[in-house]
Amino acid sequence: MRIALLSYRSKEHCGGQGVYIKYLSRGLAELGHQVEIFSGQPYPENLDPRVRLTKVPSLDLYSREPIRPPRPGRDWDRHDWLEWATILTGCFAEPLAFSTRAAHVLRSRRADFDVVHDNQCLGYGLLALRRQGFPLVATIHHPISRDRKVELASVRRRRKLSVARWYGFVRMQGRVARRIPALIGVSDTATRDVVTDFGIPAGRCQVIPLGVDTDRFRPRGERVPGRIVAVASADHPLKGIAHLLDAVAKLRVDHGVDLQLVSTLAPGGATERQIAQLGLGDCTTVSSALTDEELAALMASAQVVAVPSLYEGFSLPTVEALACGTPVVASRAGALPEVVGPDGECALLVRPGNVEALVAALGRLLDSPADREALGRAGRARALERYSWRSVAEATVAVYRDAIGRAS
């Protein structure tokens, strides 16, 4: 089968969507399929050699602060002007602009592919691809409408209008999702939320959980006393890092704590300010752009991985922690209970946003080697049993065949 994978951002450091593109493409190639990735910046790295990458350059405006037009010398086309005009309205522009660019690139390549698979872009350009006759599949990791709700609730009144404008693309995503005949969700919880928020007909969205590289993410021996690792793909209220920092400030009164936060923080932003205000600079290390190997080693060095998110459509870092045999403290929110299983089996679940519950759960695990051992062993077994990229690829191919059949 000849597969075009579309992803407006595909570098792994952009979060689970980048990891998804890398490992799904590898799994599809291992099954003997021909895969070509069409990606905007930042581009994926270290792809399987059997996978082809076609770069679909954007204005790449979000890589610089403050956002400003590219340097002189670039010849703008209509897609560039669309992206810049969308930004001027205050809306996140990449999904729409990437989708129109991808439709333009693929317009002359209808004979090259059997199916097109979109990764969470859901821009209007996908409807153009459908009109051109491409069988179409889209993965929706979680409805961005949930991010919008959480952020609007967390900002002051004077910023609500600008936040609402930023999330203006969510309406487009709902309209496009309703017109794509084959959809993939990554958890039962996220899929129910997608169906509800986007008004998608029941039965159109099939659940295929994500996978993990259990050879790389594995237990590695001694762990650093007091080390807590948290991974947040973005410095965003939805990730609950503010609650974790408050918990760590209380926890360190009675415990030695080494907090390792893997995230790209906005310079001078709310998280950096909170770390300074709480006096956590001496026990907090912030890192970003880690390789797979570096992240796996860090997770395996921890005594606990904390996932304090207010919502997760799946949470690949949680599965990676399970694979490392590292006990997890996670919020009872979104798909997290579904990912880790019943409370106490391989993770401790706490009420989202409850700082005292976080303190209690983290403290319990730091104090109890026996609890850490039991949860870590169960987590590793769960990862091996349930989360395989090969099974993800096989299930995804079945969705492709269905989409091709519907388009015939």
Side-chain angles (χ1 to χ4, degrees):
M1 191 179 298
R2 300 165 302 168
I3 302 156
L5 276 177
L6 311 186
S7 186
Y8 67 89
R9 290 184 180 187
S10 305
K11 195 171 183 177
E12 292 169 77
H13 307 139
C14 294
Q17 294 178 42
V19 176
Y20 179 72
I21 283 293
K22 177 178 179 177
Y23 286 100
L24 175 61
S25 63
R26 176 188 295 179
L28 293 169
E30 288 175 350
L31 293 175
H33 301 288
Q34 176 184 309
V35 183
E36 184 171 344
I37 295 172
F38 294 80
S39 174
Q41 298 104 311
Y43 302 119
E45 298 174 346
N46 303 314
L47 293 172
D48 187 284
R50 294 164 292 189
V51 175
R52 180 178 175 182
L53 171 63
T54 295
K55 297 179 179 179
V56 185
S58 69
L59 295 180
D60 199 22
L61 299 173
Y62 299 103
S63 64
R64 297 181 293 166
E65 292 288 344
I67 295 172
R68 57 190 184 275
R71 297 179 182 87
R74 178 185 175 104
D75 293 327
W76 284 30
D77 59 22
R78 60 188 175 90
H79 309 290
D80 297 328
W81 286 112
L82 173 63
E83 183 174 2
W84 181 241
T86 305
I87 284 175
L88 291 180
T89 69
C91 181
F92 181 48
E94 285 185 1
L96 172 59
F98 172 77
S99 71
T100 63
R101 288 187 178 103
H104 178 74
V105 171
L106 286 168
R107 184 172 56 187
S108 61
R109 300 191 60 186
R110 175 62 189 91
D112 295 344
F113 299 103
D114 299 306
V115 66
V116 172
H117 182 176
D118 171 62
N119 181 37
Q120 188 80 30
C121 169
L122 301 173
Y124 285 130
L126 298 182
L127 302 183
L129 289 173
R130 190 179 180 195
R131 289 193 296 271
Q132 292 164 20
F134 285 97
L136 202 56
V137 173
T139 293
I140 306 178
H141 295 269
H142 76 273
I144 307 298
S145 50
R146 300 294 163 123
D147 303 55
R148 179 182 184 273
K149 180 179 180 181
V150 169
E151 188 154 359
L152 281 172
S154 69
V155 299
R156 295 178 180 178
R157 179 173 297 179
R158 67 174 182 268
R159 288 200 58 227
K160 289 188 183 293
L161 179 58
S162 63
V163 170
R165 285 176 174 169
W166 171 263
Y167 283 101
F169 69 97
V170 173
R171 179 176 293 182
M172 170 190 70
Q173 290 195 323
R175 289 171 175 167
V176 173
R178 288 191 291 273
R179 290 165 175 78
I180 294 178
L183 297 171
I184 296 172
V186 297
S187 69
D188 290 333
T189 301
T191 299
R192 284 195 300 268
D193 292 341
V194 166
V195 167
T196 299
D197 290 7
F198 287 169
I200 294 170
R204 186 180 295 179
C205 197
Q206 180 172 331
V207 177
I208 304 176
L210 304 184
V212 64
D213 184 348
T214 53
D215 292 329
R216 173 168 281 125
F217 289 89
R218 67 185 191 281
R220 301 188 182 210
E222 294 299 319
R223 298 177 184 269
V224 178
R227 175 163 288 179
I228 300 170
V229 170
V231 180
S233 58
D235 191 8
H236 190 289
L238 194 77
K239 297 300 180 182
I241 296 302
H243 306 299
L244 176 62
L245 294 175
D246 285 339
V248 168
K250 296 185 176 187
L251 191 67
R252 72 178 306 206
V253 173
D254 299 314
H255 298 79
V257 176
D258 169 29
L259 176 61
Q260 298 284 327
L261 178 57
V262 182
S263 185
T264 302
L265 301 185
T271 300
E272 282 195 352
R273 294 196 305 271
Q274 186 179 7
I275 290 172
Q277 290 165 359
L278 294 172
L280 299 178
D282 62 330
C283 70
T284 302
T285 300
V286 180
S287 55
S288 61
L290 299 185
T291 65
D292 279 357
E293 184 61 26
E294 290 168 340
L295 179 60
L298 182 63
M299 282 190 166
S301 74
Q303 290 191 319
V304 186
V305 167
V307 190
S309 303
L310 305 182
Y311 183 89
E312 289 286 352
F314 183 78
S315 184
L316 190 56
T318 301
V319 178
E320 292 167 342
L322 298 180
C324 288
T326 305
V328 171
V329 172
S331 299
R332 191 179 286 104
L336 287 170
E338 182 182 336
V339 170
V340 301
D343 190 9
E345 182 176 286
C346 56
L348 300 183
L349 295 172
V350 300
R351 186 161 61 87
N354 189 316
V355 173
E356 295 302 329
L358 268 176
V359 172
L362 292 169
R364 170 184 163 184
L365 291 181
L366 292 180
D367 289 338
S368 175
D371 283 350
R372 294 198 304 270
E373 172 65 23
L375 291 176
R377 186 169 55 251
R380 174 69 179 175
R382 185 174 180 85
L384 290 171
E385 178 185 354
R386 296 174 65 92
Y387 302 113
S388 156
W389 280 112
R390 183 179 180 88
S391 64
V392 171
E394 289 172 343
T396 303
V397 168
V399 177
Y400 293 162
R401 297 193 190 284
D402 181 59
I404 293 168
R406 294 187 190 189
S408 299

